Short mmCIF file of all heavy atoms in Angstrom, two decimals:
data_model
loop_
_atom_site.label_atom_id
_atom_site.label_comp_id
_atom_site.label_asym_id
_atom_site.label_seq_id
_atom_site.Cartn_x
_atom_site.Cartn_y
_atom_site.Cartn_z
N VAL A 32 -8.08 4.03 -1.35
CA VAL A 32 -8.79 4.20 -0.09
C VAL A 32 -8.81 5.69 0.24
O VAL A 32 -7.78 6.36 0.15
CB VAL A 32 -8.09 3.42 1.04
CG1 VAL A 32 -8.79 3.61 2.35
CG2 VAL A 32 -8.00 1.94 0.68
N ALA A 33 -9.96 6.20 0.61
CA ALA A 33 -10.10 7.62 0.94
C ALA A 33 -9.19 8.00 2.10
O ALA A 33 -9.01 7.22 3.03
CB ALA A 33 -11.55 7.94 1.28
N GLY A 34 -8.62 9.18 2.02
CA GLY A 34 -7.76 9.69 3.09
C GLY A 34 -8.49 9.69 4.43
O GLY A 34 -9.66 10.06 4.51
N GLY A 35 -7.80 9.23 5.47
CA GLY A 35 -8.37 9.23 6.81
C GLY A 35 -9.23 8.03 7.13
O GLY A 35 -9.70 7.89 8.25
N SER A 36 -9.46 7.10 6.16
CA SER A 36 -10.35 5.98 6.44
C SER A 36 -9.60 4.75 6.96
O SER A 36 -10.10 4.04 7.81
CB SER A 36 -11.16 5.62 5.20
OG SER A 36 -10.31 5.24 4.15
N LEU A 37 -8.42 4.45 6.45
CA LEU A 37 -7.61 3.33 6.90
C LEU A 37 -6.15 3.78 6.97
O LEU A 37 -5.72 4.58 6.15
CB LEU A 37 -7.69 2.15 5.92
CG LEU A 37 -9.01 1.44 5.75
CD1 LEU A 37 -8.90 0.39 4.65
CD2 LEU A 37 -9.44 0.77 7.04
N THR A 38 -5.42 3.24 7.91
CA THR A 38 -3.98 3.50 7.95
C THR A 38 -3.26 2.16 7.94
O THR A 38 -3.70 1.19 8.59
CB THR A 38 -3.57 4.30 9.20
OG1 THR A 38 -3.88 3.54 10.36
CG2 THR A 38 -4.26 5.64 9.26
N TYR A 39 -2.17 2.11 7.22
CA TYR A 39 -1.42 0.87 7.10
C TYR A 39 -0.87 0.41 8.46
O TYR A 39 -0.79 -0.77 8.75
CB TYR A 39 -0.28 1.04 6.09
CG TYR A 39 0.42 -0.26 5.80
CD1 TYR A 39 -0.19 -1.24 5.02
CD2 TYR A 39 1.68 -0.53 6.32
CE1 TYR A 39 0.43 -2.45 4.76
CE2 TYR A 39 2.31 -1.73 6.07
CZ TYR A 39 1.69 -2.69 5.29
OH TYR A 39 2.30 -3.88 5.05
N GLN A 40 -0.51 1.36 9.30
CA GLN A 40 0.05 1.02 10.61
C GLN A 40 -0.93 0.24 11.48
O GLN A 40 -0.52 -0.48 12.38
CB GLN A 40 0.50 2.29 11.34
CG GLN A 40 1.65 3.01 10.69
CD GLN A 40 1.24 3.85 9.48
OE1 GLN A 40 0.06 4.03 9.19
NE2 GLN A 40 2.22 4.33 8.75
N ALA A 41 -2.22 0.37 11.24
CA ALA A 41 -3.24 -0.32 12.03
C ALA A 41 -3.67 -1.64 11.39
O ALA A 41 -4.59 -2.29 11.87
CB ALA A 41 -4.46 0.58 12.22
N MET A 42 -2.99 -2.05 10.30
CA MET A 42 -3.35 -3.26 9.58
C MET A 42 -2.30 -4.35 9.75
O MET A 42 -1.12 -4.07 9.80
CB MET A 42 -3.49 -2.98 8.08
CG MET A 42 -4.55 -1.98 7.73
SD MET A 42 -4.51 -1.55 5.98
CE MET A 42 -5.48 -2.88 5.30
N LYS A 43 -2.77 -5.58 9.81
CA LYS A 43 -1.91 -6.76 9.72
C LYS A 43 -2.41 -7.51 8.49
O LYS A 43 -3.51 -8.04 8.49
CB LYS A 43 -1.99 -7.59 10.98
CG LYS A 43 -1.48 -6.77 12.18
CD LYS A 43 -1.29 -7.61 13.39
CE LYS A 43 -0.95 -6.71 14.55
NZ LYS A 43 0.40 -6.84 15.01
N VAL A 44 -1.60 -7.49 7.43
CA VAL A 44 -2.02 -7.96 6.10
C VAL A 44 -1.48 -9.36 5.81
O VAL A 44 -0.32 -9.64 6.09
CB VAL A 44 -1.53 -6.97 5.02
CG1 VAL A 44 -1.93 -7.44 3.63
CG2 VAL A 44 -2.08 -5.58 5.29
N VAL A 45 -2.34 -10.20 5.23
CA VAL A 45 -1.95 -11.56 4.84
C VAL A 45 -2.51 -11.84 3.44
O VAL A 45 -3.73 -11.95 3.27
CB VAL A 45 -2.50 -12.62 5.82
CG1 VAL A 45 -2.04 -14.00 5.41
CG2 VAL A 45 -2.07 -12.32 7.23
N PRO A 46 -1.64 -11.93 2.42
CA PRO A 46 -2.12 -12.30 1.09
C PRO A 46 -2.40 -13.79 1.01
O PRO A 46 -1.82 -14.59 1.75
CB PRO A 46 -0.96 -11.90 0.17
CG PRO A 46 0.24 -11.98 1.03
CD PRO A 46 -0.21 -11.66 2.43
N GLY A 47 -3.29 -14.16 0.14
CA GLY A 47 -3.61 -15.58 -0.08
C GLY A 47 -4.79 -15.70 -1.02
O GLY A 47 -5.50 -14.73 -1.27
N ASP A 48 -5.01 -16.87 -1.56
CA ASP A 48 -6.15 -17.11 -2.45
C ASP A 48 -7.33 -17.55 -1.59
O ASP A 48 -7.52 -18.72 -1.32
CB ASP A 48 -5.79 -18.18 -3.48
CG ASP A 48 -6.90 -18.42 -4.48
OD1 ASP A 48 -7.93 -17.70 -4.45
OD2 ASP A 48 -6.75 -19.34 -5.31
N TYR A 49 -8.14 -16.58 -1.16
CA TYR A 49 -9.21 -16.86 -0.20
C TYR A 49 -10.49 -17.38 -0.82
O TYR A 49 -11.36 -17.86 -0.10
CB TYR A 49 -9.49 -15.61 0.63
CG TYR A 49 -8.31 -15.28 1.51
CD1 TYR A 49 -7.46 -14.22 1.20
CD2 TYR A 49 -8.00 -16.05 2.62
CE1 TYR A 49 -6.36 -13.93 1.99
CE2 TYR A 49 -6.90 -15.77 3.41
CZ TYR A 49 -6.08 -14.71 3.08
OH TYR A 49 -4.98 -14.44 3.85
#
Side-chain angles (χ1 to χ4, degrees):
V32 179
S36 60
L37 294 175
T38 62
Y39 187 74
Q40 294 78 9
M42 298 173 84
K43 297 191 186 249
V44 179
V45 182
D48 183 4
Y49 294 105

